[in-house]
Every structure is written in structure tokens, then in C-alpha cells.
Amino acid sequence: MFLGSFKTYFSGKNRLILPKRFRKELGSKDKFYILLGENGEIWGFDPKNWLNLTESILEFPLSTEEGRVKRLRLFPKAEECTLDGQGRFILPQEFIENLDFKGMVLIIGAGDHFEVWDLKLWQKQKQELEKE
């Protein structure tokens, strides 16, 4: 389970370091999946949880409007990633163009996945969550 939060610096070279605790959650696999979130963040999934998510989407027949829409909302915004020997992964350029990562970012555990937020954007999100 992905738990905790970690601050790291985004250098602008499209690379991020995944915290060691989260690398352990991926197990012996160095492959995982990232998805552009709904609020300017990235969601990251280990292969098992990614499979669970995609299977839930693929249950809807492609021949229906709902099935097509669900696929188009998920798969074009997703990428497969691998970690290098130092625990870093490369963000696709399309992600960079859709994110506002500058300087410090926060990588947080969200149970079945992790999320990567620009620190200032996370602080705004956190305030909204505290209001509810």
C-alpha cells in the first residue's frame, strides 16, 4: 500500500525520483504506469492496481458511448514507465506540457496508487479537502 508523503525537487529534465518506500511497493518489477490526474497531478500505479483499473474500464463494451468515453478519458493520458538504477523515471513531454511542476514536488501515497503534485498546487488541494 502506498503511504506517506515525500518532497523532492523537480529539476526540469523530465525526471523524478520515486521514493524508496514506493519503489518497494512496486516489488521486484521496475515497471509501473502513470496517468495524468484531474487536477494537475500525476497518478502512479503498480502493475496489479493498473490492471484492476483498466479491467474496470474495459468491462464497458466498446460498442457503447459509455465504453468509448471511459476509454478515451483514461488510455490517452497514460504511459508505461520504468525506473533506472537510481530510482528515477522520465515523464513524457506531453505530461510536462500539461503540468505546472516547478521546483519542489510532493509525492504522496494514496493507498492503491501514488500521486505527484506541485507543492503549491497540493497546498491548494489540501485546503479544499480540509473544507469538506
Side-chain angles (χ1 to χ4, degrees):
M1 185 168 294
F2 295 98
L3 304 171
S5 62
F6 306 88
K7 289 181 184 175
T8 189
Y9 185 74
F10 181 66
S11 66
K13 295 181 181 179
N14 296 19
R15 290 185 302 202
L16 279 174
I17 295 176
L18 193 63
K20 191 172 189 175
R21 182 187 295 176
F22 289 177
R23 293 194 306 259
K24 285 182 181 179
E25 285 300 320
L26 295 177
S28 62
K29 300 175 177 63
D30 63 349
K31 180 171 71 171
F32 63 101
Y33 300 87
I34 57 173
L35 176 66
L36 281 172
E38 301 294 321
N39 298 303
E41 78 282 11
I42 296 172
W43 300 344
F45 296 88
D46 62 47
K48 179 184 173 196
N49 285 313
W50 177 251
L51 184 62
N52 291 340
L53 175 63
T54 58
E55 284 179 343
S56 71
I57 298 296
L58 295 174
E59 286 178 0
F60 294 88
L62 179 59
S63 59
T64 66
E65 178 72 17
E66 185 177 23
R68 287 190 302 275
V69 168
K70 286 184 178 291
R71 284 170 173 81
L72 292 175
R73 285 188 178 150
L74 179 76
F75 294 108
K77 300 188 311 181
E79 288 288 336
E80 184 179 278
C81 287
T82 56
L83 295 172
D84 68 13
Q86 296 177 331
R88 299 175 301 190
F89 64 99
I90 297 174
L91 297 174
Q93 186 60 37
E94 181 185 342
F95 279 44
I96 299 299
E97 292 168 3
N98 287 285
L99 297 169
D100 192 27
F101 285 5
K102 294 179 182 144
M104 197 61 73
V105 296
L106 188 67
I107 303 177
I108 62 169
D112 65 346
H113 70 286
F114 63 88
E115 298 186 4
V116 183
W117 288 82
D118 172 79
L119 192 55
K120 290 180 183 176
L121 187 58
W122 171 250
Q123 290 168 344
K124 289 179 188 176
Q125 180 70 26
K126 189 175 173 185
Q127 288 174 350
E128 290 297 317
L129 292 170
E130 290 171 353
K131 288 180 186 177
E132 295 178 6

